[in-house]
Amino acid sequence: QVQLVESGGGLVQAGGSLRLSCAASGRTFSDLAMGWFRQAPGKEREFVAAITWTGDNTYYADSVKGRFTISRDNAKNTVYLQMNSLKPEDAAVYYCAAEQSPLWRPRIAQGYDYWGQGTQVTVSS
C-alpha cells in the first residue's frame, strides 16, 4: 500500500507562486510514476502534470504548460509541483497520485491506483 501526503497549498494572489509537495511511503519511491490532478467545485477531476519513475519524462496539461513544473526527488520520496503565474482558474483541490504499473497512462485518473487526500489552492484575483 502506498500512502501519499500533499502539502503546500494555500491562498495566493493571481500572478503569484506556490510549490506543492507530495511525500510517499509504503513502496520504493523510484518504482512509482507520479501525477498531479486537480478538481474545482462542480467540475471533474482533471490532469495537471505527471512524471516518470526516473524523472526523465514529464507531461503537462495545455492549460498549465509553461507555468507549472513537476519534479521529483527520489532520495526524499517526494514529488513537487511548482506553480507560477497562478490564475484564478487554477484554484482547486490538488491531488497527488501514484502508479507502479508499467501500463501507466499519465493523463488518465483511472491510470493511478493511489491518491493523496488533496490540498486546497485558492487564487484571488
Side-chain angles (χ1 to χ4, degrees):
Q1 191 71 12
V2 176
Q3 292 80 42
L4 302 172
V5 179
E6 301 100 332
S7 61
L11 172 65
V12 64
Q13 286 188 332
S17 298
L18 282 175
R19 188 176 82 155
L20 305 183
S21 300
C22 172
S25 61
R27 285 284 189 276
T28 301
F29 187 63
S30 57
D31 289 344
L32 300 172
M34 303 297 296
W36 286 97
F37 289 74
R38 66 187 181 188
Q39 188 167 19
K43 295 187 177 181
E44 293 188 356
R45 190 168 298 191
E46 65 173 357
F47 168 75
V48 176
I51 190 166
T52 54
W53 297 262
T54 59
D56 288 348
N57 290 299
T58 56
Y59 308 83
Y60 295 96
D62 288 344
S63 58
V64 307
K65 200 172 295 183
R67 299 187 298 122
F68 291 11
T69 302
I70 188 171
S71 62
R72 64 189 295 158
D73 186 337
N74 285 353
K76 295 183 178 180
N77 295 346
T78 301
V79 63
Y80 304 98
L81 185 68
Q82 177 67 43
M83 305 186 294
N84 298 329
S85 302
L86 281 160
K87 305 175 181 180
E89 52 264 42
D90 293 319
V93 177
Y94 282 70
Y95 296 91
C96 173
E99 177 56 41
Q100 58 188 7
S101 169
L103 302 179
W104 170 62
R105 295 175 294 171
R107 300 177 184 272
I108 307 300
Q110 291 82 355
Y112 295 81
D113 282 339
Y114 306 104
W115 292 84
Q117 81 289 349
T119 186
Q120 178 72 49
V121 172
T122 304
V123 184
S124 63
S125 56

